[in-house]
Amino acid sequence: MTEKPQGEQRSRSVILGEYILENKSTVRAAAKQFGISKSTVHKDITQRLPIDNPQLYPSVKHILEINKQERHIRGGMATKHKYEEEKLRKS
């Protein structure tokens, strides 16, 4: 596997940060949008963005904290919808 030049990683972290901020997106949704792994998005945002764009980082971090607080609700809703759809298919 070849390493990308540092400049590309930096610009990607800023692009991801701006996307998450503008769309109030989750790490998973950003990964899907850009066709990269969740791990890559998370590493770019938490490790590279504070160095690449320290002004943008606090806003993006705030969005990620909100998502973290709400994830159990989203998981519960997904489970609820799963069983509702299963019930509809059986009837």
Side-chain angles (χ1 to χ4, degrees), residues 32-88:
K32 188 173 183 180
Q33 175 69 27
F34 290 93
I36 55 179
S37 73
K38 296 180 300 184
S39 301
T40 302
V41 173
H42 193 266
K43 186 170 187 170
D44 279 352
I45 295 303
T46 59
Q47 295 179 5
R48 295 186 178 116
L49 187 60
I51 295 165
D52 296 344
N53 192 332
Q55 299 81 15
L56 179 62
Y57 177 69
S59 302
V60 175
K61 184 174 185 269
H62 179 70
I63 298 293
L64 295 181
E65 288 297 322
I66 291 170
N67 289 340
K68 187 175 180 181
Q69 291 170 359
E70 294 175 349
R71 71 181 168 192
H72 68 283
I73 295 168
R74 276 194 236 81
M77 292 302 292
T79 302
K80 178 181 176 184
H81 290 295
K82 173 186 170 183
Y83 288 110
E84 286 174 346
E85 288 178 14
E86 192 174 292
K87 186 177 179 180
L88 285 174

Side-chain angles (χ1 to χ4, degrees), residues 1-2 4 10-11 15-16 18-19 25 28-30 33 35 37 48 50 54-55 58 70-71 73 75-76 80 84 89:
M1 182 159 62
T2 58
K4 291 183 180 178
R10 287 188 178 165
S11 63
I15 291 168
L16 287 167
E18 289 171 347
Y19 178 81
S25 173
R28 187 179 296 250
Q33 175 69 27
S37 73
R48 295 186 178 116
Q55 299 81 15
E70 294 175 349
R71 71 181 168 192
I73 295 168
K80 178 181 176 184
E84 286 174 346
R89 278 183 286 202

